[in-house]
Amino acid sequence: IEMTQSPSSLSASVGDRVTITCRASQSVINYLNWYQQKPGKAPKLLIYAASSLQTGVPSRFSGSGSGTDFTLTISSLQPEDFATYYCQQSYSTPRGTFGGGTKVEIK
Amino acid sequence: EVQLVESGGGLVQPGGSLRLSCAASGFAFSNYAMTWVRQAPGKGLEWVSAISGSGGGTFYADSVKGRFTISRDNSKNTLYLQMNSLRVDETAVYYCAKEGWLQSLPSLDSWGQGTLVTVSS
C-alpha cells in the first residue's frame, strides 16, 4: 500500500491553522497513524486510528478521514510544532508503510 | 517507562555486515511485536522489518529480503537486526520501535533514539 502526503513542505506562522493530507493507494479503513519528528530526534506517535490523540498530545492536533483520504490539522500552530509529520498505514501490519513526510517551517 | 536503546551502528564498507541491537525495558517485551525503521540522511521514514512477540513470525521489506535478518532474545529483552551485503544507499539512522495496540489498532507507540549506519569505502 502506497501512502502519498501533500504538501511535502509548507511555511506557516504561529497561530495559523495547518492542514496536511495523506492518501492511501487502497482503503486502509481507519488504520492510519500520524507521527511528528523534530530534527535529530526519533518520531513520536501523535494520532492513531485516524482520529484518536495519543496520551499527552495537545488538543490543537486532530485527525480525520477514513478509507483512502486522511487529514492532520493543527488548529493554532505553536513554535514547538515546527517539525516533519508522517502518516503511516497499519492496515497491512506489520508492513506499515509511511508517507513521504510534510515539513512544517516557520514563515 | 518504556525505553528502547539501539546500538551497533558504525562505518562499514559496501558488501560488509553489521548487527544492530535494541535493548528494551519498561514493558513486557515478549508480549509485543517489534519493528525496525530506517531514515536516510535528509529523507523520510522507511519500514524495514518486523518480528512477532514470540519471534515466530518475521517480515521484511522487499529491498532487504534475503540480506537482513531480524531476531529477538526475549530472555535478554533485546531485538536484533543482522545486516549483510550492505549497500551505500543503506546509509541511514536505524530506529527500533515497539508495536502497540490502541483501540485494537496497531501503531508504533515507542521509539529508540536511533543508531547511525554509514556504508562507505
Side-chain angles (χ1 to χ4, degrees):
Chain A
I1 301 175
E2 308 240 340
M3 306 301 292
T4 303
Q5 280 182 242
S6 61
S8 57
S9 66
L10 65 90
S11 295
S13 301
V14 172
D16 283 354
R17 181 182 182 88
V18 168
T19 299
I20 298 167
T21 64
C22 176
R23 175 164 287 176
S25 60
Q26 66 183 73
S27 175
V28 298
I29 312 178
N30 67 333
Y31 287 66
L32 193 286
N33 306 309
W34 289 97
Y35 301 86
Q36 177 193 64
Q37 186 181 34
K38 296 182 178 179
K41 299 294 186 183
K44 167 189 161 184
L45 177 65
L46 277 185
I47 288 173
Y48 60 93
S51 61
S52 295
L53 251 58
Q54 173 67 321
T55 302
V57 174
S59 59
R60 62 181 179 273
F61 290 92
S62 63
S64 64
S66 65
T68 60
D69 294 312
F70 301 88
T71 59
L72 171 69
T73 300
I74 309 172
S75 60
S76 177
L77 197 65
Q78 297 302 301
E80 60 268 30
D81 301 336
F82 291 96
T84 301
Y85 295 85
Y86 294 91
C87 63
Q88 182 219 15
Q89 64 81 16
S90 56
Y91 182 77
S92 61
T93 194
R95 296 178 180 83
T97 46
F98 293 91
T102 297
K103 186 174 183 179
V104 177
E105 298 176 300
I106 301 172
K107 183 183 283 184
Chain B
E1 179 194 3
V2 172
Q3 281 207 322
L4 299 170
V5 180
E6 301 96 334
S7 60
L11 176 64
V12 61
Q13 291 190 336
S17 299
L18 213 53
R19 188 176 86 153
L20 306 182
S21 300
C22 171
S25 61
F27 65 103
F29 182 68
S30 62
N31 288 354
Y32 293 90
M34 297 292 294
T35 293
W36 287 99
V37 175
R38 67 186 177 186
Q39 186 171 38
K43 302 296 184 182
L45 301 173
E46 181 187 10
W47 180 88
V48 174
S49 183
I51 187 168
S52 64
S54 66
T58 57
F59 309 87
Y60 300 94
D62 288 344
S63 58
V64 307
K65 201 174 297 183
R67 298 185 299 117
F68 288 16
T69 302
I70 191 171
S71 62
R72 64 193 296 160
D73 185 336
N74 286 343
S75 69
K76 295 182 178 178
N77 287 355
T78 302
L79 173 72
Y80 303 100
L81 186 67
Q82 176 68 44
M83 304 184 295
N84 299 331
S85 303
L86 280 160
R87 303 168 179 164
V88 171
D89 64 356
E90 293 180 311
T91 292
V93 174
Y94 285 72
Y95 295 100
C96 67
K98 167 185 166 287
E99 183 180 86
W101 287 79
L102 301 165
Q103 290 187 8
S104 303
L105 296 177
S107 60
L108 299 175
D109 63 3
S110 297
W111 296 64
Q113 85 288 351
T115 187
L116 176 62
V117 173
T118 303
V119 186
S120 175
S121 54

